[in-house]
């Protein structure tokens, strides 16, 4: 099985759309297209026909390109079953335990509610990759718009079961702000302090800081490291007020 080609497309102020291509089947899918044009242009430039869109949740910065990309390519749109009313462009609705495919690459769907009530993630176990939308960020986690700290804690606990080498594809470049906050709640963490320095340098040079990895998050992410749901909720509230 040839490795997936995964391309980052920066759009809007801080979103990343992921273009994922299987070189064997030539199938190509888009995770969370905020907008259509830059995604269509990148796929075109590479000669990759877009065959699917996979949405993690209904927010417009994750689904705004759905209709135009579908109109131009005829692709299938896969979306969380629990958000069907809010993603009217969806063709196929999925939930925890379902499997979706890109060629011979298989992703397991995880329910990860909290940022939105029906948020899902796509885990390619054999590829050691997970697309988490707005659930886990580098040194951060999504805001609790439609769910609870208990739910987000359960999501973090489940993500923490993955191997350190698992690549985490999140949907925003929030890393620098997350790192600056993280050091205030975990000031003794040397790995975190070092990562802040590295991230400051990367951003000053205009470089992206994602994907991240489960290992990096296990070492530095205060939300993934929170020992209880109450602690996660406490630091999430602090971050919201920061
Ligand atoms: Zn969102
Ligand atoms: Fe978002």
């Amino acid at each position: 099985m040839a490795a997936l080609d995964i391309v980052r497309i920066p759009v809007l102020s801080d979103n990343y759309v992921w273009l994922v291509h299987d070189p064997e089947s030539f199938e190509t899918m888009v995770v969370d297209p905020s907008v259509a044009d830059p995604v269509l242009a990148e796929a075109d430039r590479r000669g990759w026909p877009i065959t699917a869109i996979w949405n993690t949740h209904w927010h417009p910065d994750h689904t705004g390109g759905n209709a135009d990309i579908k109109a131009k390519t005829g692709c299938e749109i896969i979306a969380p079953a629990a958000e069907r009313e809010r993603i009217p462009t969806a063709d196929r609705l999925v939930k925890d335990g379902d499997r979706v495919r890109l060629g011979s690459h298989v992703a397991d769907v995880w329910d990860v509610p909290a940022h939105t009530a029906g948020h899902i993630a796509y885990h390619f176990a054999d590829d050691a990759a997970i697309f988490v939308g707005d659930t886990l960020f580098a040194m951060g986690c999504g805001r609790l718009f439609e769910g609870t700290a208990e739910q987000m804690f359960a999501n973090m606990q489940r993500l923490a079961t993955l191997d350190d080498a698992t690549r985490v594809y999140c949907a925003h470049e929030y890393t620098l702000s997350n790192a600056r906050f993280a050091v205030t709640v975990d000031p003794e963490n040397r790995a975190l302090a070092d990562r802040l320095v590295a991230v400051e340098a990367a951003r000053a040079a205009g470089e992206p800081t994602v994907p991240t990895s489960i290992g990096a998050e296990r070492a530095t992410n205060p939300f993934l490291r929170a020992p209880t749901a109450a602690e996660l909720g406490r630091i999430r509230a602090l971050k919201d007020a920061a």
Side-chain angles (χ1 to χ4, degrees):
M1 194 164 65
L4 295 171
D5 287 327
I6 304 178
V7 174
R8 177 195 314 97
I9 306 173
V11 299
L12 306 180
S13 58
D14 53 32
N15 278 78
Y16 289 130
V17 177
W18 299 101
L19 190 62
V20 184
H21 174 73
D22 170 31
E24 278 172 2
S25 66
F26 234 68
E27 290 180 27
T28 305
M29 64 88 167
V30 184
V31 181
D32 285 351
S34 321
V35 290
D37 287 350
V39 177
L40 290 164
E42 183 66 31
D44 210 45
R45 199 175 71 72
R46 291 171 181 269
W48 295 350
I50 294 174
T51 50
I53 290 169
W54 296 8
N55 292 137
T56 64
H57 66 294
W58 67 268
H59 283 162
D61 64 311
H62 298 255
T63 56
N66 277 14
D68 282 356
I69 293 172
K70 184 175 172 176
K72 295 220 166 72
T73 65
C75 70
E76 176 186 43
I77 300 182
I78 297 176
E83 298 186 350
R84 89 173 65 71
E85 289 88 0
R86 297 173 113 166
I87 309 180
T89 48
D91 298 301
R92 181 177 163 205
L93 298 164
V94 296
K95 60 182 184 319
D96 202 279
D98 288 340
R99 299 189 126 183
V100 287
R101 286 167 196 280
L102 190 74
S104 53
H105 298 260
V106 177
D108 295 303
V109 176
W110 290 16
D111 285 341
V112 286
H115 178 70
T116 64
H119 199 304
I120 59 175
Y122 298 95
H123 178 224
F124 286 94
D126 292 341
D127 299 275
I130 187 163
F131 293 87
V132 294
D134 289 355
T135 294
L136 178 66
F137 294 114
M139 293 169 278
C141 77
R143 291 185 67 161
L144 307 177
F145 287 122
E146 299 177 4
T148 64
E150 286 72 19
Q151 288 174 316
M152 189 58 93
F153 179 71
N155 297 338
M156 296 295 118
Q157 295 295 106
R158 188 172 181 189
L159 286 160
T161 65
L162 296 174
D163 290 343
D164 279 355
T166 304
R167 306 283 261 171
V168 178
Y169 295 86
C170 56
H172 290 273
E173 178 62 65
Y174 288 161
T175 310
L176 183 55
S177 142
N178 286 342
R180 285 176 173 158
F181 170 76
V183 295
T184 68
V185 294
D186 192 6
E188 308 296 319
N189 185 330
R190 182 59 194 269
L192 173 56
D194 289 348
R195 196 176 180 193
L196 171 58
V197 171
V199 163
E200 283 176 332
R203 295 307 293 152
E207 291 164 9
T209 62
V210 301
T212 178
S213 70
I214 291 294
E217 297 317 305
R218 205 193 303 284
T220 62
N221 187 317
F223 300 93
L224 195 77
R225 292 163 63 82
T228 62
E231 175 62 7
L232 185 152
R234 185 185 75 81
I235 60 177
R236 184 63 261 182
L238 282 175
K239 177 73 164 73
D240 291 347

